Amino acid sequence: KEKVEITKEQQALVKSIVDAYNRHQIPQDMTKKLLQEQYSAEENFLLLTEMATSQVQVLVEFTKNIPGFLSLDCEDQIALLKGSAVEAMFLRSAQVLSKRMPNGYTEVLKERVRNSGMSEEFMTPMFNFYKSIDELQMVQEEQALLTAVTILTPDRPYVKDYQAVERLQETMLVVLRKLCVLQHPQDPQYFARLLGRLTELRTLNHYHAEMLTSWRMNDQKFTPLLCELWDVQ
Ligand SMILES: Cc1cccc(C)c1Nc1c(-c2c(F)cccc2F)nc2cccc(C)n12
């Protein structure tokens, strides 16, 4: 049986990533609005757009705290953010939606998503993904590291220094695998199942792009940040 040991610097790496992951959360007033505002499709879409914008801001702050990220080529930093934003936001919202939030926040968010003018064909894969994340019952270290691994995916469009990104991602994967072995000794396949979620995440990029197009067809408005991130309008 291999003796799995987390080194001092790996512990420091996990701590800085988990702190960044927890430090940058959706602001409280956002969650309050989600609970209080009335339930029209327009209002729901508006709230989800605000929430998406807030999630992008949280994502940028979290990414800047991934050790080594800011040492990458500046254009590659942008390419990684643009290329991974949807996947990272799905992971973040999955973790929010899968937790049994005390104040019924999860149910409210689900209700608003279901009544936001989004097509059924996107709803199903989205909620299937949320369910598959919920089943993993990830601890916060795994959530934060899996998000960092997703952001540091080297084969995003327009990335120039592939090797530099791959080296950073490799560092995260080594630590994540050790954490999985230590955290889930009874489930040797747990790490493989986590990585399987990253494959499922990639398919959601396609649905998300379709969803953006269909919203635009209905003349829905986005915020400048979302337009810039996803090159819409
Ligand atoms: C905040 C939120 C939470 C759960 C589901 C949805 C549909 C949203 N909202 C959006 C998402 C989005 C996201 F923020 C996280 C996960 C998956 C996503 F589709 N992307 C966009 C892009 C333009 C406008 C909105 C309203 N929007």
Side-chain angles (χ1 to χ4, degrees):
K1 187 103 180 63
E2 77 175 302
K3 181 83 192 74
V4 170
E5 200 120 295
I6 297 215
T7 66
K8 278 264 165 289
E9 63 264 12
Q10 285 175 328
Q11 267 173 352
L13 178 73
V14 172
K15 185 175 174 347
S16 71
I17 288 185
V18 168
D19 290 349
Y21 194 75
N22 291 333
R23 192 166 48 245
H24 305 302
Q25 295 280 4
I26 301 282
Q28 282 309 317
D29 61 324
M30 180 78 245
T31 50
K32 226 173 43 245
K33 278 173 88 170
L34 264 175
L35 292 170
Q36 280 164 357
E37 300 288 331
Q38 92 263 20
Y39 272 81
S40 67
E42 296 74 26
E43 187 54 47
N44 290 341
F45 182 78
L46 211 62
L47 278 171
L48 289 175
T49 304
E50 258 184 71
M51 190 169 161
T53 306
S54 168
Q55 279 198 3
V56 171
Q57 290 157 343
V58 163
L59 169 67
V60 171
E61 286 316 304
F62 168 66
T63 306
K64 282 159 62 178
N65 285 280
I66 297 175
F69 183 82
L70 292 177
S71 324
L72 293 171
D73 172 285
C74 283
E75 288 175 349
D76 282 355
Q77 292 178 29
I78 301 291
L80 291 178
L81 268 170
K82 287 182 80 144
S84 68
V86 171
E87 294 174 26
M89 286 162 71
F90 263 105
L91 271 178
R92 171 79 69 168
S93 56
Q95 274 126 34
V96 164
L97 280 167
S98 61
K99 263 193 304 229
R100 300 275 163 268
M101 300 296 266
N103 50 14
Y105 173 49
T106 305
E107 291 321 310
V108 165
L109 180 58
K110 273 185 183 158
E111 260 321 290
R112 291 194 186 276
V113 172
R114 288 194 192 286
N115 305 295
S116 59
M118 187 195 312
S119 56
E120 256 322 296
E121 63 170 316
F122 179 70
M123 208 83 82
T124 315
M126 176 195 277
F127 282 105
N128 287 346
F129 176 74
Y130 288 150
K131 193 164 159 295
S132 70
I133 288 288
D134 194 17
E135 281 157 8
L136 285 171
Q137 292 297 310
M138 277 190 271
V139 296
Q140 62 172 1
E141 289 80 359
E142 290 161 344
Q143 290 177 17
L145 278 168
L146 191 66
T147 306
V149 164
T150 305
I151 294 163
L152 294 169
T153 300
D155 62 335
R156 299 293 187 195
Y158 315 113
V159 168
K160 297 174 295 188
D161 191 349
Y162 185 97
Q163 275 73 22
V165 181
E166 196 177 37
R167 267 194 305 275
L168 279 183
Q169 188 189 47
E170 186 59 32
T171 309
M172 304 291 156
L173 283 166
V174 164
V175 183
L176 181 55
R177 194 184 68 77
K178 284 187 178 178
L179 275 178
C180 290
V181 169
L182 292 170
Q183 191 73 35
H184 309 268
Q186 85 292 348
D187 183 355
Q189 293 313 319
Y190 188 83
F191 178 60
R193 283 165 54 215
L194 270 199
L195 298 188
R197 297 281 69 82
L198 296 187
T199 310
E200 186 179 356
L201 259 180
R202 287 205 180 216
T203 65
L204 293 173
N205 276 307
H206 156 77
Y207 285 110
H208 189 269
E210 300 264 305
M211 192 190 69
L212 278 178
T213 309
S214 78
W215 271 332
R216 277 180 63 202
M217 303 277 236
N218 305 342
D219 222 10
Q220 293 283 19
K221 289 282 163 281
F222 303 130
T223 59
L225 180 57
L226 298 183
C227 292
E228 187 185 333
L229 183 67
W230 291 313
D231 304 321
V232 288
Q233 249 138 293

